[in-house]
Amino acid sequence: MKIVPLAERPDLAEQVSAWGFDEWGHLNQGQTPQTRLAEVRGEMNVDRVPVTFVALGEDGGIVGTAALIFDDLVGDPRNPWLASVYVPPEHRKKGIASALVRAVEGKARELGYARLYLFTTSAPALYAGLGWRALEQRDYRGEHIQVMDKVL
Ligand SMILES: CC(C)(COP(=O)(O)OP(=O)(O)OC[C@H]1O[C@@H](n2cnc3c(N)ncnc32)[C@H](O)[C@@H]1OP(=O)(O)O)[C@@H](O)C(=O)NCCC(=O)NCCS
């Protein structure tokens, strides 16, 4: 498995976008598959935020994705954020998400950030195991979220 910026594999933007829309589209009012795809295409950077990464299997097929973005929680002044961590069901529990999280942390550090944030409804234990610290919990757009941070 290797992790590369989506910019190196623009052919995978539609898959990244489709996963993100199915998983989190409901959190973003007014988002459509088309607007999500445009956003993902706007994250095809290498050395500046926002940058989306993809994990590739032995055959070069996509087995996961994660992104480093500037803003995530609307109205929250903190930045930047680890976001959109997704691994399809058939590839879970093999360490792919953990590797993607580390890749995003590494990129944030390389770009000079000292701290990274995320929010999650589903996977606080995964991040805690990777050294992330739980901050506040709150309701956000109908979901109960846990905000976390990591000093890089
Ligand atoms: C949450 C999600 C990203 C995890 O992806 P993953 O690739 O399965 O994650 P990892 O394999 O790195 O770690 C998952 C667990 O598998 C364990 N694991 C890692 N490698 C393993 C291996 N070789 N054998 C068995 N277990 C393993 C990890 O210890 C971890 O355990 P934990 O959950 O108790 O911490 C994935 O389930 C997903 O995409 N879910 C839907 C979207 C989502 O909720 N995203 C997170 C939003 S913030």
PDB file of all heavy atoms in Angstrom, residues 89-116:
ATOM      1  N   PRO A  89     -15.391  -0.693   3.221  1.00  0.00           N
ATOM      2  CA  PRO A  89     -15.546  -1.822   4.158  1.00  0.00           C
ATOM      3  C   PRO A  89     -14.612  -2.993   3.905  1.00  0.00           C
ATOM      4  O   PRO A  89     -14.045  -3.558   4.848  1.00  0.00           O
ATOM      5  CB  PRO A  89     -17.018  -2.228   3.968  1.00  0.00           C
ATOM      6  CG  PRO A  89     -17.697  -0.967   3.530  1.00  0.00           C
ATOM      7  CD  PRO A  89     -16.681  -0.206   2.712  1.00  0.00           C
ATOM      8  N   GLU A  90     -14.385  -3.344   2.652  1.00  0.00           N
ATOM      9  CA  GLU A  90     -13.574  -4.541   2.361  1.00  0.00           C
ATOM     10  C   GLU A  90     -12.091  -4.355   2.670  1.00  0.00           C
ATOM     11  O   GLU A  90     -11.326  -5.320   2.672  1.00  0.00           O
ATOM     12  CB  GLU A  90     -13.773  -4.980   0.896  1.00  0.00           C
ATOM     13  CG  GLU A  90     -13.296  -4.007  -0.166  1.00  0.00           C
ATOM     14  CD  GLU A  90     -14.322  -2.921  -0.551  1.00  0.00           C
ATOM     15  OE1 GLU A  90     -15.224  -2.617   0.257  1.00  0.00           O
ATOM     16  OE2 GLU A  90     -14.181  -2.372  -1.670  1.00  0.00           O
ATOM     17  N   HIS A  91     -11.675  -3.129   2.950  1.00  0.00           N
ATOM     18  CA  HIS A  91     -10.247  -2.879   3.236  1.00  0.00           C
ATOM     19  C   HIS A  91     -10.010  -2.404   4.671  1.00  0.00           C
ATOM     20  O   HIS A  91      -8.910  -1.969   5.003  1.00  0.00           O
ATOM     21  CB  HIS A  91      -9.683  -1.853   2.250  1.00  0.00           C
ATOM     22  CG  HIS A  91      -9.589  -2.365   0.847  1.00  0.00           C
ATOM     23  ND1 HIS A  91      -8.728  -3.383   0.491  1.00  0.00           N
ATOM     24  CD2 HIS A  91     -10.276  -2.033  -0.279  1.00  0.00           C
ATOM     25  CE1 HIS A  91      -8.870  -3.651  -0.799  1.00  0.00           C
ATOM     26  NE2 HIS A  91      -9.804  -2.846  -1.289  1.00  0.00           N
ATOM     27  N   ARG A  92     -11.033  -2.486   5.506  1.00  0.00           N
ATOM     28  CA  ARG A  92     -10.878  -1.974   6.883  1.00  0.00           C
ATOM     29  C   ARG A  92     -10.076  -2.936   7.768  1.00  0.00           C
ATOM     30  O   ARG A  92      -9.910  -4.093   7.454  1.00  0.00           O
ATOM     31  CB  ARG A  92     -12.277  -1.703   7.482  1.00  0.00           C
ATOM     32  CG  ARG A  92     -12.890  -0.481   6.823  1.00  0.00           C
ATOM     33  CD  ARG A  92     -14.288  -0.155   7.322  1.00  0.00           C
ATOM     34  NE  ARG A  92     -14.826   0.920   6.470  1.00  0.00           N
ATOM     35  CZ  ARG A  92     -16.089   1.315   6.445  1.00  0.00           C
ATOM     36  NH1 ARG A  92     -16.984   0.730   7.217  1.00  0.00           N
ATOM     37  NH2 ARG A  92     -16.467   2.296   5.633  1.00  0.00           N
ATOM     38  N   LYS A  93      -9.633  -2.394   8.890  1.00  0.00           N
ATOM     39  CA  LYS A  93      -8.902  -3.156   9.926  1.00  0.00           C
ATOM     40  C   LYS A  93      -7.567  -3.688   9.424  1.00  0.00           C
ATOM     41  O   LYS A  93      -7.110  -4.759   9.826  1.00  0.00           O
ATOM     42  CB  LYS A  93      -9.765  -4.327  10.452  1.00  0.00           C
ATOM     43  CG  LYS A  93     -11.096  -3.895  11.053  1.00  0.00           C
ATOM     44  CD  LYS A  93     -10.942  -3.488  12.488  1.00  0.00           C
ATOM     45  CE  LYS A  93     -12.248  -2.974  13.078  1.00  0.00           C
ATOM     46  NZ  LYS A  93     -12.052  -2.288  14.348  1.00  0.00           N
ATOM     47  N   LYS A  94      -6.965  -2.959   8.497  1.00  0.00           N
ATOM     48  CA  LYS A  94      -5.636  -3.355   8.018  1.00  0.00           C
ATOM     49  C   LYS A  94      -4.630  -2.234   8.247  1.00  0.00           C
ATOM     50  O   LYS A  94      -3.522  -2.262   7.705  1.00  0.00           O
ATOM     51  CB  LYS A  94      -5.696  -3.688   6.516  1.00  0.00           C
ATOM     52  CG  LYS A  94      -6.566  -4.897   6.190  1.00  0.00           C
ATOM     53  CD  LYS A  94      -6.368  -5.341   4.745  1.00  0.00           C
ATOM     54  CE  LYS A  94      -7.413  -4.719   3.846  1.00  0.00           C
ATOM     55  NZ  LYS A  94      -7.331  -5.166   2.432  1.00  0.00           N
ATOM     56  N   GLY A  95      -5.057  -1.184   8.963  1.00  0.00           N
ATOM     57  CA  GLY A  95      -4.132  -0.088   9.244  1.00  0.00           C
ATOM     58  C   GLY A  95      -4.109   1.005   8.187  1.00  0.00           C
ATOM     59  O   GLY A  95      -3.273   1.909   8.253  1.00  0.00           O
ATOM     60  N   ILE A  96      -5.019   0.945   7.214  1.00  0.00           N
ATOM     61  CA  ILE A  96      -4.984   1.935   6.128  1.00  0.00           C
ATOM     62  C   ILE A  96      -5.361   3.327   6.642  1.00  0.00           C
ATOM     63  O   ILE A  96      -4.677   4.322   6.352  1.00  0.00           O
ATOM     64  CB  ILE A  96      -5.889   1.495   4.957  1.00  0.00           C
ATOM     65  CG1 ILE A  96      -5.345   0.210   4.342  1.00  0.00           C
ATOM     66  CG2 ILE A  96      -5.990   2.615   3.908  1.00  0.00           C
ATOM     67  CD1 ILE A  96      -6.244  -0.446   3.313  1.00  0.00           C
ATOM     68  N   ALA A  97      -6.433   3.417   7.437  1.00  0.00           N
ATOM     69  CA  ALA A  97      -6.810   4.742   7.965  1.00  0.00           C
ATOM     70  C   ALA A  97      -5.682   5.308   8.832  1.00  0.00           C
ATOM     71  O   ALA A  97      -5.361   6.497   8.751  1.00  0.00           O
ATOM     72  CB  ALA A  97      -8.107   4.644   8.767  1.00  0.00           C
ATOM     73  N   SER A  98      -5.075   4.462   9.644  1.00  0.00           N
ATOM     74  CA  SER A  98      -3.987   4.930  10.513  1.00  0.00           C
ATOM     75  C   SER A  98      -2.856   5.504   9.665  1.00  0.00           C
ATOM     76  O   SER A  98      -2.298   6.561   9.984  1.00  0.00           O
ATOM     77  CB  SER A  98      -3.458   3.781  11.375  1.00  0.00           C
ATOM     78  OG  SER A  98      -4.513   3.248  12.157  1.00  0.00           O
ATOM     79  N   ALA A  99      -2.522   4.835   8.567  1.00  0.00           N
ATOM     80  CA  ALA A  99      -1.445   5.322   7.693  1.00  0.00           C
ATOM     81  C   ALA A  99      -1.845   6.643   7.032  1.00  0.00           C
ATOM     82  O   ALA A  99      -1.019   7.555   6.891  1.00  0.00           O
ATOM     83  CB  ALA A  99      -1.117   4.259   6.645  1.00  0.00           C
ATOM     84  N   LEU A 100      -3.102   6.759   6.637  1.00  0.00           N
ATOM     85  CA  LEU A 100      -3.577   8.012   6.032  1.00  0.00           C
ATOM     86  C   LEU A 100      -3.521   9.160   7.038  1.00  0.00           C
ATOM     87  O   LEU A 100      -3.119  10.279   6.701  1.00  0.00           O
ATOM     88  CB  LEU A 100      -5.014   7.833   5.524  1.00  0.00           C
ATOM     89  CG  LEU A 100      -5.149   7.069   4.186  1.00  0.00           C
ATOM     90  CD1 LEU A 100      -6.548   6.501   4.031  1.00  0.00           C
ATOM     91  CD2 LEU A 100      -4.805   7.994   3.014  1.00  0.00           C
ATOM     92  N   VAL A 101      -3.920   8.882   8.273  1.00  0.00           N
ATOM     93  CA  VAL A 101      -3.885   9.929   9.314  1.00  0.00           C
ATOM     94  C   VAL A 101      -2.438  10.393   9.508  1.00  0.00           C
ATOM     95  O   VAL A 101      -2.153  11.591   9.562  1.00  0.00           O
ATOM     96  CB  VAL A 101      -4.474   9.404  10.640  1.00  0.00           C
ATOM     97  CG1 VAL A 101      -4.221  10.386  11.785  1.00  0.00           C
ATOM     98  CG2 VAL A 101      -5.971   9.131  10.482  1.00  0.00           C
ATOM     99  N   ARG A 102      -1.515   9.436   9.550  1.00  0.00           N
ATOM    100  CA  ARG A 102      -0.100   9.806   9.729  1.00  0.00           C
ATOM    101  C   ARG A 102       0.404  10.617   8.539  1.00  0.00           C
ATOM    102  O   ARG A 102       1.210  11.539   8.695  1.00  0.00           O
ATOM    103  CB  ARG A 102       0.761   8.558   9.954  1.00  0.00           C
ATOM    104  CG  ARG A 102       0.486   7.929  11.304  1.00  0.00           C
ATOM    105  CD  ARG A 102       1.587   6.934  11.704  1.00  0.00           C
ATOM    106  NE  ARG A 102       1.218   6.272  12.944  1.00  0.00           N
ATOM    107  CZ  ARG A 102       0.634   5.067  13.001  1.00  0.00           C
ATOM    108  NH1 ARG A 102       0.371   4.391  11.891  1.00  0.00           N
ATOM    109  NH2 ARG A 102       0.312   4.537  14.170  1.00  0.00           N
ATOM    110  N   ALA A 103      -0.058  10.287   7.341  1.00  0.00           N
ATOM    111  CA  ALA A 103       0.375  11.047   6.150  1.00  0.00           C
ATOM    112  C   ALA A 103      -0.119  12.492   6.238  1.00  0.00           C
ATOM    113  O   ALA A 103       0.624  13.433   5.919  1.00  0.00           O
ATOM    114  CB  ALA A 103      -0.156  10.376   4.883  1.00  0.00           C
ATOM    115  N   VAL A 104      -1.342  12.671   6.681  1.00  0.00           N
ATOM    116  CA  VAL A 104      -1.883  14.036   6.807  1.00  0.00           C
ATOM    117  C   VAL A 104      -1.142  14.786   7.913  1.00  0.00           C
ATOM    118  O   VAL A 104      -0.780  15.961   7.743  1.00  0.00           O
ATOM    119  CB  VAL A 104      -3.411  13.996   7.078  1.00  0.00           C
ATOM    120  CG1 VAL A 104      -3.924  15.374   7.467  1.00  0.00           C
ATOM    121  CG2 VAL A 104      -4.137  13.485   5.835  1.00  0.00           C
ATOM    122  N   GLU A 105      -0.880  14.111   9.029  1.00  0.00           N
ATOM    123  CA  GLU A 105      -0.108  14.751  10.110  1.00  0.00           C
ATOM    124  C   GLU A 105       1.260  15.193   9.588  1.00  0.00           C
ATOM    125  O   GLU A 105       1.726  16.301   9.862  1.00  0.00           O
ATOM    126  CB  GLU A 105       0.103  13.773  11.273  1.00  0.00           C
ATOM    127  CG  GLU A 105      -1.163  13.424  12.035  1.00  0.00           C
ATOM    128  CD  GLU A 105      -0.945  12.298  13.054  1.00  0.00           C
ATOM    129  OE1 GLU A 105       0.216  11.835  13.224  1.00  0.00           O
ATOM    130  OE2 GLU A 105      -1.923  11.871  13.659  1.00  0.00           O
ATOM    131  N   GLY A 106       1.905  14.315   8.828  1.00  0.00           N
ATOM    132  CA  GLY A 106       3.240  14.620   8.311  1.00  0.00           C
ATOM    133  C   GLY A 106       3.215  15.814   7.379  1.00  0.00           C
ATOM    134  O   GLY A 106       4.102  16.671   7.429  1.00  0.00           O
ATOM    135  N   LYS A 107       2.202  15.878   6.533  1.00  0.00           N
ATOM    136  CA  LYS A 107       2.105  17.010   5.606  1.00  0.00           C
ATOM    137  C   LYS A 107       1.861  18.309   6.372  1.00  0.00           C
ATOM    138  O   LYS A 107       2.476  19.346   6.070  1.00  0.00           O
ATOM    139  CB  LYS A 107       0.990  16.742   4.581  1.00  0.00           C
ATOM    140  CG  LYS A 107       0.739  17.872   3.607  1.00  0.00           C
ATOM    141  CD  LYS A 107       1.986  18.273   2.808  1.00  0.00           C
ATOM    142  CE  LYS A 107       2.355  17.259   1.752  1.00  0.00           C
ATOM    143  NZ  LYS A 107       3.492  17.747   0.903  1.00  0.00           N
ATOM    144  N   ALA A 108       0.993  18.263   7.372  1.00  0.00           N
ATOM    145  CA  ALA A 108       0.711  19.476   8.158  1.00  0.00           C
ATOM    146  C   ALA A 108       1.991  19.969   8.841  1.00  0.00           C
ATOM    147  O   ALA A 108       2.297  21.165   8.842  1.00  0.00           O
ATOM    148  CB  ALA A 108      -0.387  19.196   9.192  1.00  0.00           C
ATOM    149  N   ARG A 109       2.745  19.018   9.395  1.00  0.00           N
ATOM    150  CA  ARG A 109       4.014  19.363  10.066  1.00  0.00           C
ATOM    151  C   ARG A 109       4.974  19.987   9.052  1.00  0.00           C
ATOM    152  O   ARG A 109       5.566  21.031   9.298  1.00  0.00           O
ATOM    153  CB  ARG A 109       4.603  18.088  10.674  1.00  0.00           C
ATOM    154  CG  ARG A 109       5.658  18.324  11.738  1.00  0.00           C
ATOM    155  CD  ARG A 109       6.197  17.004  12.291  1.00  0.00           C
ATOM    156  NE  ARG A 109       5.188  16.151  12.894  1.00  0.00           N
ATOM    157  CZ  ARG A 109       4.846  14.935  12.451  1.00  0.00           C
ATOM    158  NH1 ARG A 109       5.423  14.406  11.397  1.00  0.00           N
ATOM    159  NH2 ARG A 109       3.914  14.229  13.073  1.00  0.00           N
ATOM    160  N   GLU A 110       5.081  19.346   7.902  1.00  0.00           N
ATOM    161  CA  GLU A 110       5.980  19.827   6.844  1.00  0.00           C
ATOM    162  C   GLU A 110       5.601  21.254   6.408  1.00  0.00           C
ATOM    163  O   GLU A 110       6.473  22.058   6.066  1.00  0.00           O
ATOM    164  CB  GLU A 110       5.837  18.855   5.673  1.00  0.00           C
ATOM    165  CG  GLU A 110       6.726  19.066   4.502  1.00  0.00           C
ATOM    166  CD  GLU A 110       6.284  18.137   3.352  1.00  0.00           C
ATOM    167  OE1 GLU A 110       6.096  16.917   3.576  1.00  0.00           O
ATOM    168  OE2 GLU A 110       6.108  18.644   2.225  1.00  0.00           O
ATOM    169  N   LEU A 111       4.311  21.556   6.435  1.00  0.00           N
ATOM    170  CA  LEU A 111       3.860  22.894   6.014  1.00  0.00           C
ATOM    171  C   LEU A 111       3.973  23.919   7.144  1.00  0.00           C
ATOM    172  O   LEU A 111       3.584  25.067   6.982  1.00  0.00           O
ATOM    173  CB  LEU A 111       2.421  22.818   5.489  1.00  0.00           C
ATOM    174  CG  LEU A 111       2.250  22.021   4.193  1.00  0.00           C
ATOM    175  CD1 LEU A 111       0.780  21.950   3.787  1.00  0.00           C
ATOM    176  CD2 LEU A 111       3.089  22.608   3.060  1.00  0.00           C
ATOM    177  N   GLY A 112       4.477  23.476   8.311  1.00  0.00           N
ATOM    178  CA  GLY A 112       4.762  24.416   9.382  1.00  0.00           C
ATOM    179  C   GLY A 112       3.693  24.550  10.446  1.00  0.00           C
ATOM    180  O   GLY A 112       3.803  25.406  11.329  1.00  0.00           O
ATOM    181  N   TYR A 113       2.668  23.723  10.388  1.00  0.00           N
ATOM    182  CA  TYR A 113       1.636  23.786  11.425  1.00  0.00           C
ATOM    183  C   TYR A 113       2.093  23.026  12.673  1.00  0.00           C
ATOM    184  O   TYR A 113       2.721  21.976  12.583  1.00  0.00           O
ATOM    185  CB  TYR A 113       0.318  23.191  10.932  1.00  0.00           C
ATOM    186  CG  TYR A 113      -0.318  24.011   9.837  1.00  0.00           C
ATOM    187  CD1 TYR A 113      -0.259  23.601   8.507  1.00  0.00           C
ATOM    188  CD2 TYR A 113      -0.956  25.211  10.135  1.00  0.00           C
ATOM    189  CE1 TYR A 113      -0.832  24.369   7.495  1.00  0.00           C
ATOM    190  CE2 TYR A 113      -1.518  25.979   9.128  1.00  0.00           C
ATOM    191  CZ  TYR A 113      -1.454  25.549   7.820  1.00  0.00           C
ATOM    192  OH  TYR A 113      -2.012  26.312   6.830  1.00  0.00           O
ATOM    193  N   ALA A 114       1.751  23.575  13.838  1.00  0.00           N
ATOM    194  CA  ALA A 114       2.165  22.973  15.102  1.00  0.00           C
ATOM    195  C   ALA A 114       1.057  22.106  15.710  1.00  0.00           C
ATOM    196  O   ALA A 114       1.313  21.318  16.621  1.00  0.00           O
ATOM    197  CB  ALA A 114       2.550  24.065  16.093  1.00  0.00           C
ATOM    198  N   ARG A 115      -0.172  22.259  15.204  1.00  0.00           N
ATOM    199  CA  ARG A 115      -1.308  21.548  15.802  1.00  0.00           C
ATOM    200  C   ARG A 115      -2.347  21.285  14.716  1.00  0.00           C
ATOM    201  O   ARG A 115      -2.527  22.105  13.813  1.00  0.00           O
ATOM    202  CB  ARG A 115      -1.929  22.429  16.898  1.00  0.00           C
ATOM    203  CG  ARG A 115      -2.961  21.744  17.760  1.00  0.00           C
ATOM    204  CD  ARG A 115      -3.514  22.740  18.775  1.00  0.00           C
ATOM    205  NE  ARG A 115      -2.518  23.199  19.715  1.00  0.00           N
ATOM    206  CZ  ARG A 115      -2.325  22.711  20.930  1.00  0.00           C
ATOM    207  NH1 ARG A 115      -3.108  21.743  21.375  1.00  0.00           N
ATOM    208  NH2 ARG A 115      -1.388  23.195  21.710  1.00  0.00           N
ATOM    209  N   LEU A 116      -3.005  20.151  14.854  1.00  0.00           N
ATOM    210  CA  LEU A 116      -4.004  19.751  13.863  1.00  0.00           C
ATOM    211  C   LEU A 116      -5.294  19.384  14.601  1.00  0.00           C
ATOM    212  O   LEU A 116      -5.237  18.878  15.727  1.00  0.00           O
ATOM    213  CB  LEU A 116      -3.438  18.549  13.102  1.00  0.00           C
ATOM    214  CG  LEU A 116      -4.117  17.978  11.880  1.00  0.00           C
ATOM    215  CD1 LEU A 116      -4.330  19.035  10.799  1.00  0.00           C
ATOM    216  CD2 LEU A 116      -3.253  16.841  11.308  1.00  0.00           C
TER     217      LEU A 116
END
